[in-house]
Amino acid sequence: GAGVSQSPSNKVTEKGKDVELRCDPISGHTALYWYRQSLGQGLEFLIYFQGNSAPDKSGLPSDRFSAERTGGSVSTLTIQRTQQEDSAVYLCASSLIWDGDEKLFFGSGTQLSVL
Amino acid sequence: DAKTTQPTSMDCAEGRAANLPCNHSTISGNEYVYWYRQIHSQGPQYIIHGLKNNETNEMASLIITEDRKSSTLILPHATLRDTAVYYCIVRVASGYNFNKFYFGSGTKLNVKP
């Protein structure tokens, strides 16, 4: 597909379980972002990958959160020992920086519900 | 640290211009202003961005004040499909080819018939 794809679209899990959320960016995009959006709130930055550089992990809320990006393409966000406050929509975006200019293209997100 | 301030909500009559304000008083000289919108249950959608000059595209116009401390997004003829949350964002360079996009809480625009 031409856009950013995220899976699953919905995930319900029990407190204490681990979850993995997947993001397929637009082909050729070198930058990939993860954001979290709690109900009725704005977007909270989590982590940023750019090419082969070390990721910017400054937004990850705790060490239960981690992310990796394999081969500069697909990314997986992992949340270990999920808590109820982790319930939110997790959004992925990709971009291509060209001549200093950049636009983010977002997926539709994964709605995570921790019971 | 959102870096932008927007009204929580606004109403606009269908067919009229919608003017959405944003304050970004701490913006630095090389930081861009972006606008995105989010329709319920979808990911945010790019609208327009600029540095210091006014910008126009097929969706909207962006007016940035001379001191760059505020901007206004203009939807010239709002339709019911423009009902969404509109985010004013500052893009901050945090290293070589590293940018951070700071989203605030956005403005819920209600377009009414």
Side-chain angles (χ1 to χ4, degrees), chain A residues 15 17 50 57 97:
Chain A
K15 178 181 172 182
K17 301 276 184 153
Q50 172 59 272
K57 304 179 182 181
I97 298 178

Side-chain angles (χ1 to χ4, degrees), chain B residues 34-92:
Chain B
Y34 282 68
W35 284 83
Y36 276 72
R37 73 180 181 183
Q38 188 174 29
I39 296 170
H40 183 60
S41 298
Q42 298 180 21
Q45 174 194 22
Y46 169 83
I47 302 174
I48 199 166
H49 75 286
L51 183 61
K52 52 185 176 182
N53 296 325
N54 297 338
E55 302 287 344
T56 296
N57 63 21
E58 66 279 2
M59 290 183 70
S61 295
L62 173 60
I63 308 298
I64 303 174
T65 58
E66 191 170 342
D67 64 7
R68 302 209 327 119
K69 293 184 184 299
S70 65
S71 61
T72 301
L73 178 74
I74 301 173
L75 307 178
H77 305 286
T79 70
L80 297 179
R81 288 181 295 179
D82 291 323
T83 293
V85 177
Y86 287 76
Y87 293 99
C88 172
I89 301 143
V90 169
R91 189 193 93 184
V92 176

Side-chain angles (χ1 to χ4, degrees), chain A residues 41-63:
Chain A
Q41 303 298 310
L43 278 69
E44 174 191 5
F45 168 78
L46 296 178
I47 188 168
Y48 168 49
F49 297 89
Q50 172 59 272
N52 295 320
S53 302
D56 180 344
K57 304 179 182 181
S58 59
L60 294 179
S62 77
D63 58 8

